[in-house]
Amino acid sequence: MAHVKMQTARSTLTDPVAVAEDLLRQLHGPPPKLVTLFASRQRDQRALNRAVRERLPKDTRLVGATTAGELDNNGIHENSVVLGALSGDFEVGLGLGSGLTGDAIAAGAMAIKRACEELGVRQQDLDARRYVGLVIDDGFRYKKEELLLGILEKNQTLVLVGGGASDSETDPARQSALIHVDGEVAGDGVLVALFKTNAPWAALRSHWYVPTGERLTITKVDETHTRALEIDGKPAARRYADILGVENIADLEFGRPGGFASRPTALKVGREYFIRAAWRPLEDGSILFANLLEEGSELDLMKAGDLAGMTRDFFREELPRRVQNPQAALLFHCSGRMWYAGATGTVPSLSEAMKLAPSAAGMNVQFEIYSGFHINTTLTVLAFGSN
């Protein structure tokens, strides 16, 4: 029988040494092979990393990131540290790629190359049934699509899941993110944790939208391919406002109850809808998207369902259906879901839904990664079980 299990711990203490001792005191059982550390950006990350690393067994690997909120089976938290301790039948290789801003493709390629070297396997030989990649990037570099090209360059079948290291700071000029890889803490980079296991696993995602059958076409974009200048041949923001029945274009802002979050766009891939929502209307009448845009591309319009209810159904029904005897779940929860939950008064019920997950550790992230796609407004999950 193959299995992967996880214990979790959370601390609200502030002194790094006290936090480390508090977290590790809560763990029992076999020494973990991998520890995940999701910590509020307000913490001294290097001191925290050092304190935790010194108290872990020498052979235990350590990965982590700064957050915009921390998740476990007790809900969604702020200004805390959540630790996940994974043990069982798996091997893991870690790789850190640096310099996202300068060359994100090369950073992604370096991260997967180093992870593969640790496992002694060539990238092109990765068996998608036994290997899965966990990806955490500096979310404020906005380089997910490019770094994914680098990671998948030599093997497009590898399944990837994860999200961007984040910050609860709302001022874009002050936001920053850091990634933990063993004893190193760095920004402007991307981490790949490559798992090899015969235990049941799945990469999953959950959002709270349903298709409407309507579509729009991105007819003109700017040179960065992140701003829609025209939609359906008309000025982008005005066209989207007309679709939503919004008079004031400023009310389209993501997170406002009647804006982009209520009727986002999605890329249809087979029978699945990957949310790639518009983000912000700009003063020149264009719309900033979080992901790259292509002129002539068609996107499906979605409509909001029951955020907390669909999250409960995901943990109660879909995850156990996809993963035999689920024992562990790493959660990457879009900060956009939190904005919308805050605007609609559903944070308590959404937090309560986390109690239905198997043993879980995670964070609110700056956009998500799923199956090689940069998506948003979604909960992405890497779950393990036993057979």
Side-chain angles (χ1 to χ4, degrees):
M1 181 178 76
H3 72 277
V4 176
K5 295 184 177 181
M6 181 166 65
Q7 298 182 69
T8 65
R10 183 170 69 93
S11 179
T12 58
L13 300 178
T14 55
D15 177 75
V17 171
V19 170
E21 292 182 349
D22 185 24
L23 292 171
L24 296 179
R25 191 183 302 118
Q26 298 174 50
L27 301 181
H28 307 281
K33 290 184 177 179
L34 176 70
V35 161
T36 63
L37 189 67
F38 301 119
S40 165
R41 184 67 183 92
Q42 300 173 28
R43 305 307 180 94
D44 183 336
Q45 301 295 314
R46 289 178 173 82
L48 178 61
N49 179 287
R50 184 166 55 251
V52 172
R53 180 69 270 178
E54 288 174 351
R55 287 160 176 80
L56 289 175
K58 184 178 180 180
D59 294 335
T60 298
R61 309 304 300 275
L62 173 64
V63 299
T66 58
T67 79
E70 304 78 49
L71 281 66
D72 63 12
N73 290 102
N74 289 314
I76 304 171
H77 314 284
E78 295 179 353
N79 194 22
S80 67
V81 181
V82 167
L83 180 149
L86 291 137
S87 60
D89 302 303
F90 70 93
E91 299 174 51
V92 65
L94 306 182
L96 176 65
S98 302
L100 273 184
T101 302
D103 191 340
I105 293 176
M110 178 57 67
I112 186 65
K113 179 176 183 290
R114 289 173 172 170
C116 286
E117 286 174 349
E118 288 201 352
L119 291 179
V121 62
R122 300 191 309 166
Q123 296 171 55
Q124 53 267 44
D125 293 336
L126 294 173
D127 182 344
R129 295 167 298 182
R130 300 183 62 201
Y131 291 87
V132 59
L134 174 69
V135 181
I136 302 177
D137 66 302
D138 180 340
F140 297 114
R141 307 294 171 162
Y142 304 105
K143 293 290 186 178
K144 283 184 175 59
E145 283 161 314
E146 295 97 317
L147 69 86
L148 288 171
L149 290 174
I151 294 174
L152 295 172
E153 181 180 12
K154 295 184 178 181
N155 191 328
Q156 288 77 45
T157 67
L158 179 65
V159 176
L160 303 172
V161 63
S166 191
D167 188 347
S168 55
E169 172 62 57
T170 57
D171 180 357
R174 300 173 61 187
Q175 291 172 327
S176 64
L178 294 171
I179 299 167
H180 295 249
V181 184
D182 281 334
E184 187 171 358
V185 178
D188 197 22
V190 55
L191 155 73
V192 173
L194 185 62
F195 290 87
K196 177 184 179 182
T197 184
N198 288 319
W201 63 268
L204 305 102
R205 55 150 188 86
S206 173
H207 58 72
W208 75 101
Y209 296 108
V210 293
T212 64
E214 301 176 71
R215 286 187 162 190
L216 57 78
T217 303
I218 306 296
T219 47
K220 188 175 182 180
V221 302
D222 76 331
E223 64 278 2
T224 70
H225 288 262
T226 60
R227 288 168 48 229
L229 305 180
E230 292 183 2
I231 292 175
D232 297 333
K234 300 177 181 179
R238 185 69 264 166
R239 173 58 179 154
Y240 214 122
D242 290 342
I243 292 172
L244 269 59
V246 172
E247 186 170 337
N248 186 352
I249 286 177
D251 290 334
L252 290 173
E253 184 83 23
F254 195 96
R256 299 192 180 186
F260 293 135
S262 66
R263 295 284 304 278
T265 48
L267 177 67
K268 188 177 182 183
V269 181
R271 296 182 179 181
E272 295 198 63
Y273 294 87
F274 293 169
I275 305 299
R276 293 161 69 88
W279 185 6
R280 183 181 300 146
L282 302 179
E283 291 183 358
D284 63 0
S286 66
I287 297 175
L288 178 66
F289 278 68
N291 51 273
L292 298 179
L293 298 169
E294 183 178 354
E295 287 187 0
S297 59
E298 287 189 333
L299 297 174
D300 282 77
L301 275 166
M302 311 291 281
K303 65 179 180 180
D306 179 353
L307 172 55
M310 294 174 81
T311 303
R312 286 194 299 270
D313 291 344
F314 168 75
F315 285 127
R316 190 163 43 205
E317 299 173 12
E318 182 177 354
L319 194 154
R321 184 171 63 247
R322 296 277 304 278
V323 181
Q324 185 179 355
N325 301 317
Q327 307 285 313
L330 295 169
L331 310 179
F332 301 91
H333 187 247
C334 183
S335 294
R337 288 168 61 96
M338 291 300 298
W339 297 342
Y340 187 82
T344 56
T346 54
V347 170
S349 55
L350 178 60
S351 184
E352 187 73 14
M354 301 298 162
K355 296 181 180 180
L356 296 172
S359 183
M363 62 175 178
N364 290 334
V365 298
Q366 185 73 1
F367 305 117
E368 305 82 66
I369 288 168
Y370 176 77
S371 291
F373 287 89
H374 169 198
I375 58 177
N376 53 31
T377 324
T378 303
L379 167 67
T380 61
V381 178
L382 177 57
F384 296 96
S386 64
N387 57 22

